[in-house]
Amino acid sequence: SYLTTRRFYRLDQLSFSWVVREQPKTVWDKRFEELLSYCDSHGHCLVPQRCQANLKLGIWVNTQRREYRTLKQNKRSAMTQDKIDKLNSIGFSWKSPKHKTGILQTIGHDNLDCRTEDSKIPQIEATTVNDQEIIGCG
């Protein structure tokens, strides 16, 4: 069956949502704002991938890193220079801190668990994680 004009208008009057998914740019901007908020409250941009407080943000951060690697391999990627510039402007780390080195050794891996307010990492001006300088947000 198909949607008649009459049914279309009736659904429209009921404020039926015709868009199933948000536009990718809208989603990216929304997650970037969430990252800014996370960065302000935690003093860093190292969002755990499985952050219980905001699972979508953790997955999004991991996706940005993956898209960046894909771009650097000269493969098709959703990553753009504009996105790179925005993420760099807040001290985003393109490498995931998977090992207890650098900052993780200093503050302890458990502090990256964002489930509670007590898990904040102290404000840091600049440090190195996996040979990459990380600038603390603030």
Side-chain angles (χ1 to χ4, degrees):
S1 86
Y2 60 93
L3 187 61
T4 65
T5 304
R6 181 174 172 226
R7 287 183 180 166
F8 172 82
Y9 285 117
R10 288 180 70 191
L11 287 169
D12 209 36
Q13 288 174 340
L14 294 171
S15 300
F16 181 80
S17 177
W18 296 102
V19 179
V20 178
R21 289 181 50 183
E22 291 182 79
Q23 295 295 319
K25 182 175 177 4
T26 304
V27 173
W28 197 94
D29 290 339
K30 180 180 176 181
R31 294 288 178 265
F32 183 75
E33 291 299 319
E34 290 173 9
L35 179 60
L36 286 174
S37 177
Y38 180 93
C39 194
D40 285 342
S41 65
H42 291 82
H44 63 85
C45 300
L46 300 172
V47 181
Q49 185 174 354
R50 291 176 183 87
C51 175
Q52 296 300 314
N54 190 339
L55 187 59
K56 289 182 180 181
L57 180 61
I59 292 169
W60 181 84
V61 165
N62 186 58
T63 300
Q64 301 317 297
R65 291 182 177 126
R66 186 182 66 244
E67 290 295 325
Y68 180 76
R69 284 190 308 273
T70 302
L71 180 69
K72 291 300 178 188
Q73 295 169 353
N74 294 319
K75 295 180 181 175
R76 190 171 154 167
S77 170
M79 184 56 64
T80 64
Q81 189 60 50
D82 183 51
K83 291 176 183 178
I84 292 169
D85 292 343
K86 281 185 174 182
L87 290 166
N88 281 339
S89 75
I90 63 168
F92 184 79
S93 174
W94 295 103
K95 293 181 181 178
S96 176
K98 295 181 182 188
H99 305 288
K100 285 192 175 187
T101 59
I103 191 173
L104 299 183
Q105 241 175 10
T106 305
I107 59 172
H109 188 275
D110 294 338
N111 288 328
L112 289 178
D113 182 0
C114 65
R115 285 179 232 163
T116 67
E117 282 298 310
D118 298 320
S119 62
K120 292 183 181 180
I121 292 178
Q123 184 74 24
I124 297 171
E125 290 299 317
T127 191
T128 304
V129 175
N130 298 332
D131 298 326
Q132 181 178 357
E133 185 175 51
I134 306 296
I135 309 293
C137 300

